[in-house]
Amino acid sequence: MTRPVTVVTGGSRGIGAATCVRLASDGHDVALAYVRDDEAAERTATAVRAAGGRCVTVRADTSDEADVDRLFETAAGELGPVTGLVNNAGVTSRPGRLVDTGTDDLRRVVEVNLLGTLLCSRRAAQAMIQRKSGVIVNVSSAAATLGSPGEYVHYAASKAAVDALTLGLAKELGPDGVRVNAVSPGVIDTEIHAAMGDPERPRRVAATVPLGRAGRAEEIAAAISWLMSPESSYATGAVLRVSGGR
Ligand code: NAP
């Protein structure tokens, strides 16, 4: 049997990095896309190889069509035909009310979280429908159904759009043998909170989580792993909430 070849966007750090390592231990070869942090990408690639997977790292901004084309061409050229995609790359901006949020922040969040997911999904689907098989998992957010008032409604809206895209694309690609699902994490302890200027957020929000704590990246990677695997062969169009009950 040939090994699955999976593109993981935002694979250098956080949930994406945990996903790359988990998929490697599940038997995947991994094309890891990142945008800025070369060292983190190389660290994760080393962990992927230690877990038994081949790994290629590609610096590619998922909101840029030419970068996305280069990412998929490199993945196929170095590892073989792409069989899976994890749309994990995502950003947010400083927490605050919409009335105080700048247009650049609105644009960047929508471009990475929504346009990036659309561009990567389109590129993957073009190859997958020819092979009549493939798996796509989108990383959404529990924010999509909470709305995130006072923090980042633009981020929540971009993730609600990812949920709609998951449902629609699952219906569109089901007849082509391609499954499309999403995982919706709650608050997970990664660097995304420090990047938006609130490193203590996972600790602070823990009190509002029924399970009493923030989640770990590996706990999201486990859900992604299941949706990427043949174990979930009848699941498509699903949005799996992994949020500690929040
Ligand atoms: P993170 O720790 O900040 O890591 C973000 C990753 O995405 C990094 O690998 C980063 O690359 C990459 N990235 C950012 N913009 C990119 C772009 N335009 N093109 C390619 N790669 C890009 O974030 P995280 O917390 O793991 O979040 C991962 C996903 O989970 C996101 O979609 C996020 O919205 C979602 N999520 C997170 C939480 C949470 O509480 N952490 C909750 C719900 C949903 P560099 O290393 O090069 O910067």
Side-chain angles (χ1 to χ4, degrees), residues 9-16 33-37 40 60-63 88-91 108 112 139-142 155 159 185-188 190-193:
T9 67
S12 50
R13 296 184 288 112
I15 292 168
Y34 67 105
V35 73
R36 187 179 50 81
D37 192 336
D61 182 338
T62 54
S63 68
N88 166 77
V91 293
R108 186 69 188 150
V112 175
V139 180
S140 178
S141 171
Y155 171 85
K159 294 296 191 176
V187 178
I188 309 303
T190 70
E191 292 169 359
I192 201 171
H193 307 285

PDB file of all heavy atoms in Angstrom, residues 9-16 33-37 40 60-63 88-91 108 112 139-142 155 159 185-188 190-193, ligand 1:
ATOM      1  N   THR A   9      -1.355  22.859   6.338  1.00  0.00           N
ATOM      2  CA  THR A   9      -1.004  24.289   6.341  1.00  0.00           C
ATOM      3  C   THR A   9      -0.866  24.759   7.789  1.00  0.00           C
ATOM      4  O   THR A   9      -1.546  24.257   8.686  1.00  0.00           O
ATOM      5  CB  THR A   9      -2.056  25.133   5.593  1.00  0.00           C
ATOM      6  OG1 THR A   9      -3.294  25.118   6.318  1.00  0.00           O
ATOM      7  CG2 THR A   9      -2.274  24.602   4.176  1.00  0.00           C
ATOM      8  N   GLY A  10       0.044  25.713   8.003  1.00  0.00           N
ATOM      9  CA  GLY A  10       0.313  26.142   9.377  1.00  0.00           C
ATOM     10  C   GLY A  10       0.853  24.994  10.204  1.00  0.00           C
ATOM     11  O   GLY A  10       0.524  24.844  11.374  1.00  0.00           O
ATOM     12  N   GLY A  11       1.731  24.205   9.589  1.00  0.00           N
ATOM     13  CA  GLY A  11       2.222  22.991  10.254  1.00  0.00           C
ATOM     14  C   GLY A  11       3.438  23.203  11.135  1.00  0.00           C
ATOM     15  O   GLY A  11       3.893  22.267  11.789  1.00  0.00           O
ATOM     16  N   SER A  12       3.958  24.422  11.180  1.00  0.00           N
ATOM     17  CA  SER A  12       5.204  24.633  11.930  1.00  0.00           C
ATOM     18  C   SER A  12       4.997  24.670  13.431  1.00  0.00           C
ATOM     19  O   SER A  12       5.871  24.250  14.189  1.00  0.00           O
ATOM     20  CB  SER A  12       5.878  25.930  11.466  1.00  0.00           C
ATOM     21  OG  SER A  12       4.959  26.994  11.473  1.00  0.00           O
ATOM     22  N   ARG A  13       3.858  25.204  13.879  1.00  0.00           N
ATOM     23  CA  ARG A  13       3.658  25.418  15.313  1.00  0.00           C
ATOM     24  C   ARG A  13       2.248  24.999  15.728  1.00  0.00           C
ATOM     25  O   ARG A  13       1.384  24.778  14.884  1.00  0.00           O
ATOM     26  CB  ARG A  13       3.857  26.900  15.647  1.00  0.00           C
ATOM     27  CG  ARG A  13       5.268  27.390  15.399  1.00  0.00           C
ATOM     28  CD  ARG A  13       5.482  28.840  15.824  1.00  0.00           C
ATOM     29  NE  ARG A  13       4.816  29.793  14.946  1.00  0.00           N
ATOM     30  CZ  ARG A  13       3.770  30.547  15.315  1.00  0.00           C
ATOM     31  NH1 ARG A  13       3.288  30.475  16.524  1.00  0.00           N
ATOM     32  NH2 ARG A  13       3.217  31.368  14.447  1.00  0.00           N
ATOM     33  N   GLY A  14       2.035  24.899  17.044  1.00  0.00           N
ATOM     34  CA  GLY A  14       0.696  24.741  17.609  1.00  0.00           C
ATOM     35  C   GLY A  14      -0.036  23.494  17.137  1.00  0.00           C
ATOM     36  O   GLY A  14       0.538  22.403  17.036  1.00  0.00           O
ATOM     37  N   ILE A  15      -1.316  23.667  16.833  1.00  0.00           N
ATOM     38  CA  ILE A  15      -2.173  22.544  16.436  1.00  0.00           C
ATOM     39  C   ILE A  15      -1.639  21.890  15.161  1.00  0.00           C
ATOM     40  O   ILE A  15      -1.641  20.655  15.036  1.00  0.00           O
ATOM     41  CB  ILE A  15      -3.623  23.050  16.229  1.00  0.00           C
ATOM     42  CG1 ILE A  15      -4.231  23.467  17.582  1.00  0.00           C
ATOM     43  CG2 ILE A  15      -4.482  21.981  15.548  1.00  0.00           C
ATOM     44  CD1 ILE A  15      -5.534  24.254  17.467  1.00  0.00           C
ATOM     45  N   GLY A  16      -1.156  22.711  14.234  1.00  0.00           N
ATOM     46  CA  GLY A  16      -0.641  22.169  12.972  1.00  0.00           C
ATOM     47  C   GLY A  16       0.580  21.293  13.186  1.00  0.00           C
ATOM     48  O   GLY A  16       0.711  20.224  12.568  1.00  0.00           O
ATOM     49  N   ALA A  33       3.358  23.386   5.442  1.00  0.00           N
ATOM     50  CA  ALA A  33       3.409  24.775   4.981  1.00  0.00           C
ATOM     51  C   ALA A  33       3.425  25.713   6.175  1.00  0.00           C
ATOM     52  O   ALA A  33       2.736  25.480   7.166  1.00  0.00           O
ATOM     53  CB  ALA A  33       2.205  25.077   4.106  1.00  0.00           C
ATOM     54  N   TYR A  34       4.219  26.768   6.044  1.00  0.00           N
ATOM     55  CA  TYR A  34       4.306  27.777   7.103  1.00  0.00           C
ATOM     56  C   TYR A  34       4.590  29.101   6.413  1.00  0.00           C
ATOM     57  O   TYR A  34       4.879  29.138   5.212  1.00  0.00           O
ATOM     58  CB  TYR A  34       5.411  27.428   8.112  1.00  0.00           C
ATOM     59  CG  TYR A  34       6.794  27.519   7.502  1.00  0.00           C
ATOM     60  CD1 TYR A  34       7.632  28.589   7.799  1.00  0.00           C
ATOM     61  CD2 TYR A  34       7.238  26.567   6.580  1.00  0.00           C
ATOM     62  CE1 TYR A  34       8.890  28.696   7.220  1.00  0.00           C
ATOM     63  CE2 TYR A  34       8.489  26.676   5.994  1.00  0.00           C
ATOM     64  CZ  TYR A  34       9.304  27.743   6.316  1.00  0.00           C
ATOM     65  OH  TYR A  34      10.531  27.852   5.723  1.00  0.00           O
ATOM     66  N   VAL A  35       4.545  30.183   7.189  1.00  0.00           N
ATOM     67  CA  VAL A  35       4.677  31.467   6.505  1.00  0.00           C
ATOM     68  C   VAL A  35       5.895  32.266   6.948  1.00  0.00           C
ATOM     69  O   VAL A  35       6.401  33.108   6.207  1.00  0.00           O
ATOM     70  CB  VAL A  35       3.375  32.289   6.665  1.00  0.00           C
ATOM     71  CG1 VAL A  35       3.219  32.843   8.082  1.00  0.00           C
ATOM     72  CG2 VAL A  35       3.264  33.380   5.650  1.00  0.00           C
ATOM     73  N   ARG A  36       6.441  32.008   8.152  1.00  0.00           N
ATOM     74  CA  ARG A  36       7.421  32.953   8.701  1.00  0.00           C
ATOM     75  C   ARG A  36       8.544  32.248   9.457  1.00  0.00           C
ATOM     76  O   ARG A  36       9.715  32.563   9.294  1.00  0.00           O
ATOM     77  CB  ARG A  36       6.648  33.889   9.657  1.00  0.00           C
ATOM     78  CG  ARG A  36       7.377  35.056  10.230  1.00  0.00           C
ATOM     79  CD  ARG A  36       6.441  35.872  11.136  1.00  0.00           C
ATOM     80  NE  ARG A  36       5.721  35.074  12.108  1.00  0.00           N
ATOM     81  CZ  ARG A  36       6.218  34.651  13.273  1.00  0.00           C
ATOM     82  NH1 ARG A  36       7.418  34.986  13.628  1.00  0.00           N
ATOM     83  NH2 ARG A  36       5.494  33.903  14.093  1.00  0.00           N
ATOM     84  N   ASP A  37       8.199  31.284  10.322  1.00  0.00           N
ATOM     85  CA  ASP A  37       9.116  30.770  11.333  1.00  0.00           C
ATOM     86  C   ASP A  37       9.868  29.528  10.811  1.00  0.00           C
ATOM     87  O   ASP A  37       9.458  28.389  11.021  1.00  0.00           O
ATOM     88  CB  ASP A  37       8.314  30.440  12.604  1.00  0.00           C
ATOM     89  CG  ASP A  37       9.210  30.183  13.810  1.00  0.00           C
ATOM     90  OD1 ASP A  37      10.382  29.816  13.612  1.00  0.00           O
ATOM     91  OD2 ASP A  37       8.721  30.340  14.935  1.00  0.00           O
ATOM     92  N   ALA A  40      10.954  26.880  13.535  1.00  0.00           N
ATOM     93  CA  ALA A  40       9.856  26.048  14.020  1.00  0.00           C
ATOM     94  C   ALA A  40       9.493  24.994  12.970  1.00  0.00           C
ATOM     95  O   ALA A  40       9.232  23.827  13.297  1.00  0.00           O
ATOM     96  CB  ALA A  40       8.641  26.901  14.364  1.00  0.00           C
ATOM     97  N   ALA A  60       4.980  29.095   2.444  1.00  0.00           N
ATOM     98  CA  ALA A  60       3.902  29.458   1.525  1.00  0.00           C
ATOM     99  C   ALA A  60       2.769  30.113   2.294  1.00  0.00           C
ATOM    100  O   ALA A  60       2.256  29.537   3.260  1.00  0.00           O
ATOM    101  CB  ALA A  60       3.377  28.202   0.811  1.00  0.00           C
ATOM    102  N   ASP A  61       2.392  31.293   1.850  1.00  0.00           N
ATOM    103  CA  ASP A  61       1.258  32.003   2.449  1.00  0.00           C
ATOM    104  C   ASP A  61      -0.010  31.467   1.789  1.00  0.00           C
ATOM    105  O   ASP A  61      -0.200  31.617   0.577  1.00  0.00           O
ATOM    106  CB  ASP A  61       1.428  33.506   2.186  1.00  0.00           C
ATOM    107  CG  ASP A  61       0.317  34.334   2.814  1.00  0.00           C
ATOM    108  OD1 ASP A  61      -0.773  33.794   3.084  1.00  0.00           O
ATOM    109  OD2 ASP A  61       0.548  35.540   3.014  1.00  0.00           O
ATOM    110  N   THR A  62      -0.884  30.873   2.587  1.00  0.00           N
ATOM    111  CA  THR A  62      -2.063  30.211   2.006  1.00  0.00           C
ATOM    112  C   THR A  62      -3.048  31.194   1.370  1.00  0.00           C
ATOM    113  O   THR A  62      -3.925  30.779   0.621  1.00  0.00           O
ATOM    114  CB  THR A  62      -2.804  29.387   3.071  1.00  0.00           C
ATOM    115  OG1 THR A  62      -3.089  30.244   4.191  1.00  0.00           O
ATOM    116  CG2 THR A  62      -1.978  28.200   3.528  1.00  0.00           C
ATOM    117  N   SER A  63      -2.897  32.486   1.660  1.00  0.00           N
ATOM    118  CA  SER A  63      -3.817  33.455   1.058  1.00  0.00           C
ATOM    119  C   SER A  63      -3.307  33.940  -0.306  1.00  0.00           C
ATOM    120  O   SER A  63      -3.938  34.803  -0.935  1.00  0.00           O
ATOM    121  CB  SER A  63      -4.023  34.653   1.995  1.00  0.00           C
ATOM    122  OG  SER A  63      -2.834  35.414   2.108  1.00  0.00           O
ATOM    123  N   ASN A  88      -5.230  24.140   8.216  1.00  0.00           N
ATOM    124  CA  ASN A  88      -5.083  24.545   9.617  1.00  0.00           C
ATOM    125  C   ASN A  88      -4.616  25.993   9.778  1.00  0.00           C
ATOM    126  O   ASN A  88      -4.882  26.607  10.806  1.00  0.00           O
ATOM    127  CB  ASN A  88      -4.102  23.583  10.306  1.00  0.00           C
ATOM    128  CG  ASN A  88      -3.626  24.118  11.628  1.00  0.00           C
ATOM    129  OD1 ASN A  88      -4.347  24.068  12.629  1.00  0.00           O
ATOM    130  ND2 ASN A  88      -2.411  24.658  11.661  1.00  0.00           N
ATOM    131  N   ALA A  89      -3.900  26.545   8.778  1.00  0.00           N
ATOM    132  CA  ALA A  89      -3.345  27.897   8.924  1.00  0.00           C
ATOM    133  C   ALA A  89      -4.463  28.876   9.283  1.00  0.00           C
ATOM    134  O   ALA A  89      -5.507  28.912   8.630  1.00  0.00           O
ATOM    135  CB  ALA A  89      -2.660  28.332   7.631  1.00  0.00           C
ATOM    136  N   GLY A  90      -4.226  29.654  10.324  1.00  0.00           N
ATOM    137  CA  GLY A  90      -5.243  30.623  10.733  1.00  0.00           C
ATOM    138  C   GLY A  90      -4.626  31.705  11.590  1.00  0.00           C
ATOM    139  O   GLY A  90      -3.613  31.477  12.248  1.00  0.00           O
ATOM    140  N   VAL A  91      -5.225  32.869  11.554  1.00  0.00           N
ATOM    141  CA  VAL A  91      -4.723  34.003  12.340  1.00  0.00           C
ATOM    142  C   VAL A  91      -5.892  34.737  12.979  1.00  0.00           C
ATOM    143  O   VAL A  91      -7.047  34.600  12.563  1.00  0.00           O
ATOM    144  CB  VAL A  91      -3.939  35.007  11.457  1.00  0.00           C
ATOM    145  CG1 VAL A  91      -2.654  34.385  10.930  1.00  0.00           C
ATOM    146  CG2 VAL A  91      -4.796  35.539  10.311  1.00  0.00           C
ATOM    147  N   ARG A 108      -6.862  40.751   6.752  1.00  0.00           N
ATOM    148  CA  ARG A 108      -5.886  39.659   6.927  1.00  0.00           C
ATOM    149  C   ARG A 108      -6.574  38.414   7.501  1.00  0.00           C
ATOM    150  O   ARG A 108      -6.314  37.297   7.049  1.00  0.00           O
ATOM    151  CB  ARG A 108      -4.749  40.124   7.858  1.00  0.00           C
ATOM    152  CG  ARG A 108      -3.618  39.124   7.981  1.00  0.00           C
ATOM    153  CD  ARG A 108      -2.829  39.011   6.668  1.00  0.00           C
ATOM    154  NE  ARG A 108      -1.867  37.926   6.703  1.00  0.00           N
ATOM    155  CZ  ARG A 108      -1.482  37.230   5.635  1.00  0.00           C
ATOM    156  NH1 ARG A 108      -1.949  37.508   4.433  1.00  0.00           N
ATOM    157  NH2 ARG A 108      -0.599  36.265   5.758  1.00  0.00           N
ATOM    158  N   VAL A 112      -6.624  34.993   5.291  1.00  0.00           N
ATOM    159  CA  VAL A 112      -5.942  33.747   5.681  1.00  0.00           C
ATOM    160  C   VAL A 112      -6.974  32.674   6.034  1.00  0.00           C
ATOM    161  O   VAL A 112      -6.923  31.548   5.518  1.00  0.00           O
ATOM    162  CB  VAL A 112      -4.975  33.983   6.868  1.00  0.00           C
ATOM    163  CG1 VAL A 112      -4.367  32.653   7.322  1.00  0.00           C
ATOM    164  CG2 VAL A 112      -3.873  34.967   6.478  1.00  0.00           C
ATOM    165  N   VAL A 139      -9.698  23.252   9.901  1.00  0.00           N
ATOM    166  CA  VAL A 139      -9.678  23.602  11.319  1.00  0.00           C
ATOM    167  C   VAL A 139     -10.478  24.896  11.485  1.00  0.00           C
ATOM    168  O   VAL A 139     -10.061  25.971  11.059  1.00  0.00           O
ATOM    169  CB  VAL A 139      -8.237  23.745  11.853  1.00  0.00           C
ATOM    170  CG1 VAL A 139      -8.272  24.119  13.333  1.00  0.00           C
ATOM    171  CG2 VAL A 139      -7.483  22.431  11.649  1.00  0.00           C
ATOM    172  N   SER A 140     -11.657  24.737  12.057  1.00  0.00           N
ATOM    173  CA  SER A 140     -12.557  25.863  12.288  1.00  0.00           C
ATOM    174  C   SER A 140     -12.321  26.384  13.698  1.00  0.00           C
ATOM    175  O   SER A 140     -11.194  26.409  14.195  1.00  0.00           O
ATOM    176  CB  SER A 140     -13.998  25.381  12.067  1.00  0.00           C
ATOM    177  OG  SER A 140     -14.913  26.418  12.328  1.00  0.00           O
ATOM    178  N   SER A 141     -13.372  26.756  14.393  1.00  0.00           N
ATOM    179  CA  SER A 141     -13.249  27.209  15.790  1.00  0.00           C
ATOM    180  C   SER A 141     -14.631  27.190  16.424  1.00  0.00           C
ATOM    181  O   SER A 141     -15.639  27.480  15.760  1.00  0.00           O
ATOM    182  CB  SER A 141     -12.695  28.627  15.852  1.00  0.00           C
ATOM    183  OG  SER A 141     -12.772  29.117  17.170  1.00  0.00           O
ATOM    184  N   ALA A 142     -14.650  26.901  17.735  1.00  0.00           N
ATOM    185  CA  ALA A 142     -15.913  27.023  18.471  1.00  0.00           C
ATOM    186  C   ALA A 142     -16.432  28.456  18.405  1.00  0.00           C
ATOM    187  O   ALA A 142     -17.634  28.701  18.576  1.00  0.00           O
ATOM    188  CB  ALA A 142     -15.710  26.594  19.923  1.00  0.00           C
ATOM    189  N   TYR A 155     -13.041  37.231  13.283  1.00  0.00           N
ATOM    190  CA  TYR A 155     -12.463  35.874  13.309  1.00  0.00           C
ATOM    191  C   TYR A 155     -13.591  34.839  13.395  1.00  0.00           C
ATOM    192  O   TYR A 155     -13.596  33.854  12.642  1.00  0.00           O
ATOM    193  CB  TYR A 155     -11.521  35.770  14.508  1.00  0.00           C
ATOM    194  CG  TYR A 155     -11.003  34.380  14.805  1.00  0.00           C
ATOM    195  CD1 TYR A 155      -9.876  33.882  14.158  1.00  0.00           C
ATOM    196  CD2 TYR A 155     -11.628  33.575  15.754  1.00  0.00           C
ATOM    197  CE1 TYR A 155      -9.389  32.614  14.447  1.00  0.00           C
ATOM    198  CE2 TYR A 155     -11.145  32.305  16.047  1.00  0.00           C
ATOM    199  CZ  TYR A 155     -10.026  31.833  15.393  1.00  0.00           C
ATOM    200  OH  TYR A 155      -9.553  30.579  15.676  1.00  0.00           O
ATOM    201  N   LYS A 159     -14.610  31.863  10.630  1.00  0.00           N
ATOM    202  CA  LYS A 159     -14.684  30.431  10.945  1.00  0.00           C
ATOM    203  C   LYS A 159     -16.094  29.876  10.680  1.00  0.00           C
ATOM    204  O   LYS A 159     -16.234  28.706  10.287  1.00  0.00           O
ATOM    205  CB  LYS A 159     -14.254  30.186  12.390  1.00  0.00           C
ATOM    206  CG  LYS A 159     -12.780  30.495  12.652  1.00  0.00           C
ATOM    207  CD  LYS A 159     -11.844  29.582  11.856  1.00  0.00           C
ATOM    208  CE  LYS A 159     -10.402  29.713  12.303  1.00  0.00           C
ATOM    209  NZ  LYS A 159      -9.496  28.777  11.608  1.00  0.00           N
ATOM    210  N   PRO A 185     -12.020  23.527  17.381  1.00  0.00           N
ATOM    211  CA  PRO A 185     -11.421  23.554  18.717  1.00  0.00           C
ATOM    212  C   PRO A 185     -12.029  24.666  19.581  1.00  0.00           C
ATOM    213  O   PRO A 185     -12.433  25.715  19.065  1.00  0.00           O
ATOM    214  CB  PRO A 185      -9.941  23.865  18.441  1.00  0.00           C
ATOM    215  CG  PRO A 185      -9.741  23.706  16.968  1.00  0.00           C
ATOM    216  CD  PRO A 185     -11.069  23.968  16.341  1.00  0.00           C
ATOM    217  N   GLY A 186     -12.045  24.417  20.891  1.00  0.00           N
ATOM    218  CA  GLY A 186     -12.294  25.507  21.845  1.00  0.00           C
ATOM    219  C   GLY A 186     -10.964  26.195  22.109  1.00  0.00           C
ATOM    220  O   GLY A 186     -10.113  26.282  21.216  1.00  0.00           O
ATOM    221  N   VAL A 187     -10.752  26.662  23.332  1.00  0.00           N
ATOM    222  CA  VAL A 187      -9.498  27.370  23.630  1.00  0.00           C
ATOM    223  C   VAL A 187      -8.379  26.351  23.842  1.00  0.00           C
ATOM    224  O   VAL A 187      -8.451  25.506  24.734  1.00  0.00           O
ATOM    225  CB  VAL A 187      -9.654  28.248  24.884  1.00  0.00           C
ATOM    226  CG1 VAL A 187      -8.326  28.942  25.207  1.00  0.00           C
ATOM    227  CG2 VAL A 187     -10.743  29.284  24.660  1.00  0.00           C
ATOM    228  N   ILE A 188      -7.361  26.445  23.003  1.00  0.00           N
ATOM    229  CA  ILE A 188      -6.241  25.502  23.030  1.00  0.00           C
ATOM    230  C   ILE A 188      -4.970  26.278  23.381  1.00  0.00           C
ATOM    231  O   ILE A 188      -4.767  27.395  22.889  1.00  0.00           O
ATOM    232  CB  ILE A 188      -6.085  24.815  21.650  1.00  0.00           C
ATOM    233  CG1 ILE A 188      -7.427  24.224  21.176  1.00  0.00           C
ATOM    234  CG2 ILE A 188      -5.000  23.731  21.705  1.00  0.00           C
ATOM    235  CD1 ILE A 188      -8.084  23.219  22.102  1.00  0.00           C
ATOM    236  N   THR A 190      -1.859  27.380  22.753  1.00  0.00           N
ATOM    237  CA  THR A 190      -0.835  27.535  21.708  1.00  0.00           C
ATOM    238  C   THR A 190      -0.361  28.991  21.723  1.00  0.00           C
ATOM    239  O   THR A 190      -0.870  29.814  22.498  1.00  0.00           O
ATOM    240  CB  THR A 190      -1.388  27.227  20.303  1.00  0.00           C
ATOM    241  OG1 THR A 190      -2.297  28.277  19.945  1.00  0.00           O
ATOM    242  CG2 THR A 190      -2.088  25.875  20.238  1.00  0.00           C
ATOM    243  N   GLU A 191       0.544  29.307  20.804  1.00  0.00           N
ATOM    244  CA  GLU A 191       1.111  30.665  20.758  1.00  0.00           C
ATOM    245  C   GLU A 191       0.173  31.682  20.107  1.00  0.00           C
ATOM    246  O   GLU A 191       0.483  32.864  20.067  1.00  0.00           O
ATOM    247  CB  GLU A 191       2.448  30.629  20.005  1.00  0.00           C
ATOM    248  CG  GLU A 191       3.520  29.867  20.768  1.00  0.00           C
ATOM    249  CD  GLU A 191       4.770  29.593  19.920  1.00  0.00           C
ATOM    250  OE1 GLU A 191       4.782  29.977  18.736  1.00  0.00           O
ATOM    251  OE2 GLU A 191       5.708  28.986  20.460  1.00  0.00           O
ATOM    252  N   ILE A 192      -0.975  31.225  19.598  1.00  0.00           N
ATOM    253  CA  ILE A 192      -1.876  32.167  18.910  1.00  0.00           C
ATOM    254  C   ILE A 192      -2.361  33.249  19.877  1.00  0.00           C
ATOM    255  O   ILE A 192      -2.576  34.393  19.488  1.00  0.00           O
ATOM    256  CB  ILE A 192      -3.069  31.419  18.247  1.00  0.00           C
ATOM    257  CG1 ILE A 192      -3.689  32.273  17.125  1.00  0.00           C
ATOM    258  CG2 ILE A 192      -4.131  31.028  19.266  1.00  0.00           C
ATOM    259  CD1 ILE A 192      -4.733  31.538  16.277  1.00  0.00           C
ATOM    260  N   HIS A 193      -2.484  32.889  21.160  1.00  0.00           N
ATOM    261  CA  HIS A 193      -3.002  33.861  22.141  1.00  0.00           C
ATOM    262  C   HIS A 193      -1.961  34.953  22.419  1.00  0.00           C
ATOM    263  O   HIS A 193      -2.309  36.131  22.509  1.00  0.00           O
ATOM    264  CB  HIS A 193      -3.421  33.128  23.416  1.00  0.00           C
ATOM    265  CG  HIS A 193      -4.357  31.999  23.128  1.00  0.00           C
ATOM    266  ND1 HIS A 193      -5.683  32.201  22.802  1.00  0.00           N
ATOM    267  CD2 HIS A 193      -4.149  30.656  23.049  1.00  0.00           C
ATOM    268  CE1 HIS A 193      -6.246  31.030  22.545  1.00  0.00           C
ATOM    269  NE2 HIS A 193      -5.341  30.071  22.692  1.00  0.00           N
TER     270      HIS A 193
HETATM  271  P1  NAP B   1      -0.462  29.202  16.098  1.00  0.00           P
HETATM  272  O1  NAP B   1       0.148  28.480  17.251  1.00  0.00           O
HETATM  273  O2  NAP B   1      -0.436  30.691  16.074  1.00  0.00           O
HETATM  274  O3  NAP B   1       0.185  28.621  14.750  1.00  0.00           O
HETATM  275  C1  NAP B   1      -0.266  29.144  13.531  1.00  0.00           C
HETATM  276  C2  NAP B   1       0.379  28.391  12.394  1.00  0.00           C
HETATM  277  O4  NAP B   1      -0.165  28.876  11.171  1.00  0.00           O
HETATM  278  C3  NAP B   1       1.878  28.596  12.311  1.00  0.00           C
HETATM  279  O5  NAP B   1       2.434  27.403  11.828  1.00  0.00           O
HETATM  280  C4  NAP B   1       2.011  29.726  11.289  1.00  0.00           C
HETATM  281  O6  NAP B   1       3.257  29.720  10.597  1.00  0.00           O
HETATM  282  C5  NAP B   1       0.892  29.337  10.335  1.00  0.00           C
HETATM  283  N1  NAP B   1       0.369  30.404   9.511  1.00  0.00           N
HETATM  284  C6  NAP B   1      -0.185  31.576   9.898  1.00  0.00           C
HETATM  285  N2  NAP B   1      -0.601  32.272   8.829  1.00  0.00           N
HETATM  286  C7  NAP B   1      -0.282  31.540   7.737  1.00  0.00           C
HETATM  287  C8  NAP B   1      -0.432  31.730   6.349  1.00  0.00           C
HETATM  288  N3  NAP B   1      -1.000  32.822   5.850  1.00  0.00           N
HETATM  289  N4  NAP B   1       0.003  30.757   5.515  1.00  0.00           N
HETATM  290  C9  NAP B   1       0.578  29.627   6.005  1.00  0.00           C
HETATM  291  N5  NAP B   1       0.741  29.378   7.312  1.00  0.00           N
HETATM  292  C10 NAP B   1       0.317  30.329   8.168  1.00  0.00           C
HETATM  293  O7  NAP B   1      -2.016  28.812  15.927  1.00  0.00           O
HETATM  294  P2  NAP B   1      -2.869  27.587  16.520  1.00  0.00           P
HETATM  295  O8  NAP B   1      -3.443  28.026  17.809  1.00  0.00           O
HETATM  296  O9  NAP B   1      -2.127  26.317  16.415  1.00  0.00           O
HETATM  297  O10 NAP B   1      -4.093  27.608  15.478  1.00  0.00           O
HETATM  298  C11 NAP B   1      -4.185  26.695  14.397  1.00  0.00           C
HETATM  299  C12 NAP B   1      -5.595  26.750  13.859  1.00  0.00           C
HETATM  300  O11 NAP B   1      -6.512  26.427  14.912  1.00  0.00           O
HETATM  301  C13 NAP B   1      -6.020  28.128  13.340  1.00  0.00           C
HETATM  302  O12 NAP B   1      -6.824  27.969  12.200  1.00  0.00           O
HETATM  303  C14 NAP B   1      -6.837  28.699  14.486  1.00  0.00           C
HETATM  304  O13 NAP B   1      -7.761  29.651  14.052  1.00  0.00           O
HETATM  305  C15 NAP B   1      -7.505  27.431  14.992  1.00  0.00           C
HETATM  306  N6  NAP B   1      -7.986  27.522  16.371  1.00  0.00           N
HETATM  307  C16 NAP B   1      -7.109  27.739  17.403  1.00  0.00           C
HETATM  308  C17 NAP B   1      -7.601  27.827  18.689  1.00  0.00           C
HETATM  309  C18 NAP B   1      -6.718  28.063  19.879  1.00  0.00           C
HETATM  310  O14 NAP B   1      -7.234  28.371  20.971  1.00  0.00           O
HETATM  311  N7  NAP B   1      -5.399  27.928  19.760  1.00  0.00           N
HETATM  312  C19 NAP B   1      -8.977  27.704  18.923  1.00  0.00           C
HETATM  313  C20 NAP B   1      -9.826  27.480  17.853  1.00  0.00           C
HETATM  314  C21 NAP B   1      -9.319  27.390  16.576  1.00  0.00           C
HETATM  315  P3  NAP B   1       4.586  30.439  11.194  1.00  0.00           P
HETATM  316  O15 NAP B   1       5.129  29.510  12.263  1.00  0.00           O
HETATM  317  O16 NAP B   1       5.505  30.517  10.036  1.00  0.00           O
HETATM  318  O17 NAP B   1       4.159  31.752  11.744  1.00  0.00           O
END
